[in-house]
Amino acid sequence: MKTIDINLGIKSYKIEIDKNLLEKIGEKIKENFSYNKIFIITDENVASFYLERLVKVLEKENFLVSYFIIPPGEKSKNLNMASEIYKKLVEEKITRGDLIITLGGGVVGDLGGFVAATFLRGIDFIQVPTSLLAQIDSSIGGKVAVDLEEGKNLVGSFYQPKAVFIDTELLKTLPLRYFRDGLGEAIKCSCIRDKNLFSLFKNMKDEKEALEKSQNIIEACCMVKKKVVENDEFDKGERMILNFGHTIGHAIEKNYNFETFTHGEAVSIGMCKITEIMENLGISEKGTFEKIKRVLEKFSLPTDCEINREKTLNTIGRDKKNFGKSINLIVLSEIGNGKIMKIDFNDIEKYI
């Protein structure tokens, strides 16, 4: 088992990574915390595989367990769904002395974390991520949010979990497309801060080898995120580099109504588009775009799509990374070296 400490003072917590960790969650919570009731938030897909198992594991330790199951997908990550969960929490008489567990991918973690941050002005929660994307990124660092019609993650907070339990065996039931989705985000991590991880991807044969080496990938990505989050918990500086590929990627997701591309697919396209532009401008090292493109294509991730320029610029104009009349773009000097480039929004068309 690998344990990674996220050091944030009184908000510090541990990430535990191991095979078959799901079976040990009840005893781990019992050993380290003093909750009575546990409320699980999950989605229909994950529930069919793991909800019953987790409930039994928790009830074995005499926790009182209830749960709420949401429809899968980004369209569930909204204030209306949060409101439905609040009602169920009230019905179950959940108090500030109880615990929420988010069992699922990024949507479940973001939505469940947002609910935990806001119900009764904040109750404890633990992340049990089931997708590669959630295991390497969204479950770590305390970003919780819901979407508005106008854009993604526009309402949210920074609210750290009490623990993150990553069971690598859960990836075996993940559909191939969503494993690739997580690889897109993992490749992003390697591009911005881990040249050795990028080399690992470059030398892999296919998704099968990536699954076999999933613990190595997860540990490397968690270490990247650990360092960035500890230096910048509230996303005011260095942490913004984690958004490489996301400015264009989020716009693609929104403009295709969250139906055509997964998050990792959209980020893959975003990384390629921004790097190609920056290479042409002499900001990124020559050949960087082709290196990223080849690695992404190896895992059948998209590297281009049709973009409605006007819609894209409108969406970027509402992006949470905007500050007044400027926007922070995340670019690469070279593989493994991401940086923040602040530009005037009036000049955005030059860079997008």
Side-chain angles (χ1 to χ4, degrees):
M1 184 178 76
K2 175 74 172 180
T3 300
I4 297 173
D5 293 306
I6 304 296
N7 298 306
L8 295 169
I10 62 171
K11 294 179 284 183
S12 297
Y13 57 94
K14 294 181 184 298
I15 304 168
E16 295 190 24
I17 309 166
D18 202 5
K19 292 181 178 179
N20 302 310
L21 195 53
L22 191 72
E23 308 301 327
K24 304 171 188 174
I25 287 175
E27 60 187 73
K28 285 182 175 292
I29 293 174
K30 198 77 170 179
E31 286 171 7
N32 295 287
F33 305 101
S34 57
Y35 305 114
N36 180 35
K37 294 179 181 177
I38 296 179
F39 185 89
I40 302 167
I41 299 172
T42 189
D43 70 25
E44 293 165 0
N45 293 340
V46 175
S48 66
F49 288 107
Y50 301 118
L51 180 58
E52 185 178 349
R53 277 173 59 187
L54 181 57
V55 170
K56 286 181 179 178
V57 163
L58 296 172
E59 288 182 338
K60 185 180 176 183
E61 300 296 333
N62 298 314
F63 292 111
L64 299 174
V65 183
S66 54
Y67 54 82
F68 190 96
I69 302 173
I70 68 169
E74 191 75 27
K75 289 189 174 182
S76 288
K77 205 174 88 173
N78 57 60
L79 289 167
N80 290 333
M81 188 62 68
S83 181
E84 292 302 309
I85 300 172
Y86 294 144
K87 290 176 186 176
K88 183 67 173 176
L89 288 165
V90 172
E91 182 184 314
E92 295 293 337
K93 297 182 171 59
I94 299 298
T95 72
R96 291 179 72 180
D98 299 319
L99 174 72
I100 286 175
I101 290 179
T102 57
L103 174 69
V107 168
V108 169
D110 281 5
L111 172 64
F114 176 80
V115 167
T118 50
F119 184 70
L120 301 179
R121 295 193 177 96
I123 69 173
D124 291 352
F125 85 114
I126 285 174
Q127 294 263 25
V128 183
T130 61
S131 70
L132 180 60
L133 179 61
Q135 290 179 351
I136 64 169
D137 184 56
S138 60
S139 67
I140 305 156
K143 277 188 177 182
V144 297
V146 293
D147 304 336
L148 299 180
E149 287 185 11
E150 290 79 8
K152 188 169 175 174
N153 297 332
L154 292 182
V155 178
S157 185
F158 292 91
Y159 193 69
Q160 301 297 339
K162 289 296 177 181
V164 180
F165 296 120
I166 298 175
D167 186 340
T168 56
E169 287 293 293
L170 305 188
L171 297 178
K172 291 183 176 178
T173 55
L174 193 65
L176 179 57
R177 183 183 183 192
Y178 290 95
F179 182 67
R180 289 170 174 160
D181 174 63
L183 288 176
E185 195 76 35
I187 291 163
K188 176 215 76 177
C189 263
S190 73
C191 286
I192 58 171
R193 279 292 184 268
D194 195 333
K195 202 170 187 176
N196 291 333
L197 180 58
F198 190 85
S199 294
L200 181 67
F201 285 123
K202 185 179 175 182
N203 294 325
M204 281 181 189
K205 294 178 183 177
D206 51 26
E207 295 93 342
K208 183 180 178 182
E209 185 178 351
L211 184 58
E212 289 169 358
K213 295 179 178 175
S214 59
Q215 183 141 347
N216 304 79
I217 294 168
I218 292 164
E219 288 178 12
C221 291
C222 287
M223 287 303 297
V224 168
K225 191 143 192 186
K226 163 190 164 65
K227 292 172 186 175
V228 171
V229 168
E230 287 176 351
N231 289 337
D232 179 24
E233 181 184 356
F234 297 109
D235 206 17
K236 298 291 187 182
E238 183 186 356
R239 185 168 177 170
M240 290 182 193
I241 68 160
L242 295 169
N243 288 310
F244 175 54
H246 284 58
T247 299
I248 295 175
H250 281 169
I252 290 169
E253 286 183 273
K254 172 69 170 60
N255 295 345
Y256 280 87
N257 202 29
F258 301 103
E259 294 174 347
T260 304
F261 297 104
T262 66
H263 176 70
E265 289 168 349
V267 167
S268 297
I269 297 168
M271 288 191 290
C272 284
K273 286 193 172 293
I274 195 71
T275 304
E276 186 175 25
I277 292 165
M278 293 303 159
E279 200 173 306
N280 291 334
L281 292 171
I283 293 167
S284 296
E285 182 181 73
K286 285 292 181 186
T288 304
F289 163 66
E290 279 298 328
K291 288 177 185 176
I292 296 172
K293 186 171 181 283
R294 282 198 298 268
V295 167
L296 292 170
E297 288 177 343
K298 180 191 297 185
F299 300 111
S300 300
L301 285 160
T303 57
D304 198 8
C305 72
E306 290 293 323
I307 291 182
N308 181 304
R309 193 166 184 78
E310 185 178 350
K311 282 185 179 180
T312 299
L313 291 171
N314 285 339
T315 302
I316 290 172
R318 294 189 290 267
D319 193 282
K320 62 186 182 299
K321 293 179 288 300
N322 295 356
F323 289 85
K325 294 181 179 179
S326 66
I327 183 170
N328 291 304
L329 292 181
I330 314 308
V331 302
L332 301 182
S333 298
E334 59 184 346
I335 297 294
N337 187 9
K339 65 179 184 179
I340 301 164
M341 190 171 79
K342 189 171 185 176
I343 63 168
D344 190 301
F345 195 79
N346 293 325
D347 296 328
I348 189 67
E349 290 191 46
K350 178 182 176 183
Y351 300 98
I352 299 296

